[in-house]
PDB file of all heavy atoms in Angstrom:
ATOM      1  N   ARG Z 215      16.994  -4.746  -7.854  1.00 96.00           N
ATOM      2  CA  ARG Z 215      15.652  -4.201  -8.105  1.00 96.00           C
ATOM      3  C   ARG Z 215      15.085  -3.751  -6.773  1.00 96.00           C
ATOM      4  O   ARG Z 215      15.221  -4.456  -5.761  1.00 96.00           O
ATOM      5  CB  ARG Z 215      14.725  -5.249  -8.701  1.00 96.00           C
ATOM      6  CG  ARG Z 215      15.181  -5.838  -9.999  1.00 96.00           C
ATOM      7  CD  ARG Z 215      14.170  -6.773 -10.612  1.00 96.00           C
ATOM      8  NE  ARG Z 215      13.792  -7.856  -9.697  1.00 96.00           N
ATOM      9  CZ  ARG Z 215      12.868  -8.759  -9.967  1.00 96.00           C
ATOM     10  NH1 ARG Z 215      12.212  -8.731 -11.106  1.00 96.00           N
ATOM     11  NH2 ARG Z 215      12.588  -9.716  -9.100  1.00 96.00           N
ATOM     12  N   ALA Z 216      14.428  -2.591  -6.774  1.00 98.00           N
ATOM     13  CA  ALA Z 216      13.856  -2.114  -5.517  1.00 98.00           C
ATOM     14  C   ALA Z 216      12.823  -1.029  -5.754  1.00 98.00           C
ATOM     15  O   ALA Z 216      12.843  -0.327  -6.763  1.00 98.00           O
ATOM     16  CB  ALA Z 216      14.954  -1.565  -4.606  1.00 98.00           C
ATOM     17  N   ILE Z 217      11.940  -0.930  -4.773  1.00 98.00           N
ATOM     18  CA  ILE Z 217      11.031   0.211  -4.642  1.00 98.00           C
ATOM     19  C   ILE Z 217      11.183   0.702  -3.212  1.00 98.00           C
ATOM     20  O   ILE Z 217      11.042  -0.076  -2.266  1.00 98.00           O
ATOM     21  CB  ILE Z 217       9.573  -0.166  -4.943  1.00 98.00           C
ATOM     22  CG1 ILE Z 217       9.434  -0.538  -6.429  1.00 98.00           C
ATOM     23  CG2 ILE Z 217       8.632   0.986  -4.577  1.00 98.00           C
ATOM     24  CD1 ILE Z 217       8.055  -1.028  -6.827  1.00 98.00           C
ATOM     25  N   LYS Z 218      11.512   1.973  -3.071  1.00 98.00           N
ATOM     26  CA  LYS Z 218      11.686   2.603  -1.763  1.00 98.00           C
ATOM     27  C   LYS Z 218      10.611   3.670  -1.609  1.00 98.00           C
ATOM     28  O   LYS Z 218      10.350   4.436  -2.536  1.00 98.00           O
ATOM     29  CB  LYS Z 218      13.071   3.240  -1.669  1.00 98.00           C
ATOM     30  CG  LYS Z 218      13.336   3.979  -0.390  1.00 98.00           C
ATOM     31  CD  LYS Z 218      14.737   4.575  -0.433  1.00 98.00           C
ATOM     32  CE  LYS Z 218      14.987   5.498   0.724  1.00 98.00           C
ATOM     33  NZ  LYS Z 218      16.338   6.092   0.632  1.00 98.00           N
ATOM     34  N   VAL Z 219       9.986   3.709  -0.426  1.00 98.00           N
ATOM     35  CA  VAL Z 219       8.881   4.630  -0.177  1.00 98.00           C
ATOM     36  C   VAL Z 219       9.153   5.433   1.088  1.00 98.00           C
ATOM     37  O   VAL Z 219       9.529   4.862   2.112  1.00 98.00           O
ATOM     38  CB  VAL Z 219       7.550   3.856  -0.003  1.00 98.00           C
ATOM     39  CG1 VAL Z 219       6.414   4.789   0.391  1.00 98.00           C
ATOM     40  CG2 VAL Z 219       7.209   3.082  -1.267  1.00 98.00           C
ATOM     41  N   HIS Z 220       8.988   6.737   1.003  1.00 98.00           N
ATOM     42  CA  HIS Z 220       8.882   7.586   2.190  1.00 98.00           C
ATOM     43  C   HIS Z 220       7.415   7.947   2.301  1.00 98.00           C
ATOM     44  O   HIS Z 220       6.800   8.350   1.313  1.00 98.00           O
ATOM     45  CB  HIS Z 220       9.711   8.854   2.054  1.00 98.00           C
ATOM     46  CG  HIS Z 220      11.170   8.645   2.234  1.00 98.00           C
ATOM     47  ND1 HIS Z 220      12.069   9.673   2.145  1.00 98.00           N
ATOM     48  CD2 HIS Z 220      11.904   7.536   2.510  1.00 98.00           C
ATOM     49  CE1 HIS Z 220      13.292   9.210   2.358  1.00 98.00           C
ATOM     50  NE2 HIS Z 220      13.214   7.911   2.566  1.00 98.00           N
ATOM     51  N   GLY Z 221       6.870   7.785   3.495  1.00 98.00           N
ATOM     52  CA  GLY Z 221       5.449   8.063   3.638  1.00 98.00           C
ATOM     53  C   GLY Z 221       5.052   8.360   5.053  1.00 98.00           C
ATOM     54  O   GLY Z 221       5.898   8.512   5.941  1.00 98.00           O
ATOM     55  N   GLU Z 222       3.765   8.436   5.246  1.00 98.00           N
ATOM     56  CA  GLU Z 222       3.192   8.705   6.558  1.00 98.00           C
ATOM     57  C   GLU Z 222       2.362   7.501   6.977  1.00 98.00           C
ATOM     58  O   GLU Z 222       1.581   6.968   6.187  1.00 98.00           O
ATOM     59  CB  GLU Z 222       2.330   9.955   6.526  1.00 98.00           C
ATOM     60  CG  GLU Z 222       1.921  10.382   7.904  1.00 98.00           C
ATOM     61  CD  GLU Z 222       1.659  11.867   8.002  1.00 98.00           C
ATOM     62  OE1 GLU Z 222       1.926  12.603   7.050  1.00 98.00           O
ATOM     63  OE2 GLU Z 222       1.162  12.274   9.060  1.00 98.00           O
ATOM     64  N   ALA Z 223       2.560   7.081   8.225  1.00 98.00           N
ATOM     65  CA  ALA Z 223       1.895   5.882   8.729  1.00 98.00           C
ATOM     66  C   ALA Z 223       0.791   6.242   9.705  1.00 98.00           C
ATOM     67  O   ALA Z 223       0.865   7.250  10.409  1.00 98.00           O
ATOM     68  CB  ALA Z 223       2.915   4.971   9.414  1.00 98.00           C
ATOM     69  N   GLU Z 224      -0.205   5.391   9.734  1.00 97.00           N
ATOM     70  CA  GLU Z 224      -1.266   5.486  10.730  1.00 97.00           C
ATOM     71  C   GLU Z 224      -1.661   4.072  11.132  1.00 97.00           C
ATOM     72  O   GLU Z 224      -1.414   3.116  10.402  1.00 97.00           O
ATOM     73  CB  GLU Z 224      -2.475   6.248  10.178  1.00 97.00           C
ATOM     74  CG  GLU Z 224      -3.131   5.578   8.987  1.00 97.00           C
ATOM     75  CD  GLU Z 224      -4.297   6.365   8.433  1.00 97.00           C
ATOM     76  OE1 GLU Z 224      -5.128   6.863   9.217  1.00 97.00           O
ATOM     77  OE2 GLU Z 224      -4.388   6.469   7.191  1.00 97.00           O
ATOM     78  N   ILE Z 225      -2.249   3.966  12.291  1.00 97.00           N
ATOM     79  CA  ILE Z 225      -2.712   2.674  12.781  1.00 97.00           C
ATOM     80  C   ILE Z 225      -4.214   2.603  12.574  1.00 97.00           C
ATOM     81  O   ILE Z 225      -4.946   3.526  12.947  1.00 97.00           O
ATOM     82  CB  ILE Z 225      -2.350   2.500  14.265  1.00 97.00           C
ATOM     83  CG1 ILE Z 225      -0.832   2.494  14.397  1.00 97.00           C
ATOM     84  CG2 ILE Z 225      -2.971   1.230  14.832  1.00 97.00           C
ATOM     85  CD1 ILE Z 225      -0.322   2.600  15.802  1.00 97.00           C
ATOM     86  N   VAL Z 226      -4.664   1.523  11.937  1.00 94.00           N
ATOM     87  CA  VAL Z 226      -6.093   1.357  11.655  1.00 94.00           C
ATOM     88  C   VAL Z 226      -6.513  -0.069  11.999  1.00 94.00           C
ATOM     89  O   VAL Z 226      -5.702  -0.989  11.997  1.00 94.00           O
ATOM     90  CB  VAL Z 226      -6.443   1.671  10.185  1.00 94.00           C
ATOM     91  CG1 VAL Z 226      -6.087   3.099   9.812  1.00 94.00           C
ATOM     92  CG2 VAL Z 226      -5.756   0.708   9.246  1.00 94.00           C
ATOM     93  N   THR Z 227      -7.783  -0.220  12.287  1.00 88.00           N
ATOM     94  CA  THR Z 227      -8.375  -1.538  12.458  1.00 88.00           C
ATOM     95  C   THR Z 227      -9.260  -1.782  11.249  1.00 88.00           C
ATOM     96  O   THR Z 227     -10.120  -0.959  10.930  1.00 88.00           O
ATOM     97  CB  THR Z 227      -9.198  -1.606  13.761  1.00 88.00           C
ATOM     98  OG1 THR Z 227      -8.327  -1.314  14.858  1.00 88.00           O
ATOM     99  CG2 THR Z 227      -9.811  -2.979  13.948  1.00 88.00           C
ATOM    100  N   LEU Z 228      -9.024  -2.903  10.576  1.00 80.00           N
ATOM    101  CA  LEU Z 228      -9.749  -3.214   9.354  1.00 80.00           C
ATOM    102  C   LEU Z 228     -10.595  -4.462   9.549  1.00 80.00           C
ATOM    103  O   LEU Z 228     -10.159  -5.420  10.195  1.00 80.00           O
ATOM    104  CB  LEU Z 228      -8.771  -3.452   8.199  1.00 80.00           C
ATOM    105  CG  LEU Z 228      -7.868  -2.281   7.813  1.00 80.00           C
ATOM    106  CD1 LEU Z 228      -6.874  -2.709   6.748  1.00 80.00           C
ATOM    107  CD2 LEU Z 228      -8.699  -1.101   7.331  1.00 80.00           C
ATOM    108  N   GLU Z 229     -11.780  -4.426   8.981  1.00 78.00           N
ATOM    109  CA  GLU Z 229     -12.624  -5.620   8.987  1.00 78.00           C
ATOM    110  C   GLU Z 229     -12.079  -6.662   8.024  1.00 78.00           C
ATOM    111  O   GLU Z 229     -12.278  -7.853   8.216  1.00 78.00           O
ATOM    112  CB  GLU Z 229     -14.059  -5.250   8.614  1.00 78.00           C
ATOM    113  CG  GLU Z 229     -14.753  -4.451   9.690  1.00 78.00           C
ATOM    114  CD  GLU Z 229     -16.196  -4.151   9.329  1.00 78.00           C
ATOM    115  OE1 GLU Z 229     -16.791  -4.910   8.526  1.00 78.00           O
ATOM    116  OE2 GLU Z 229     -16.723  -3.166   9.841  1.00 78.00           O
TER     117      GLU Z 229
END
Side-chain angles (χ1 to χ4, degrees):
R215 301 185 304 176
I217 293 176
K218 177 181 171 182
V219 174
H220 284 180
E222 190 153 352
E224 62 182 316
I225 296 169
V226 300
T227 301
L228 299 175
E229 290 183 25

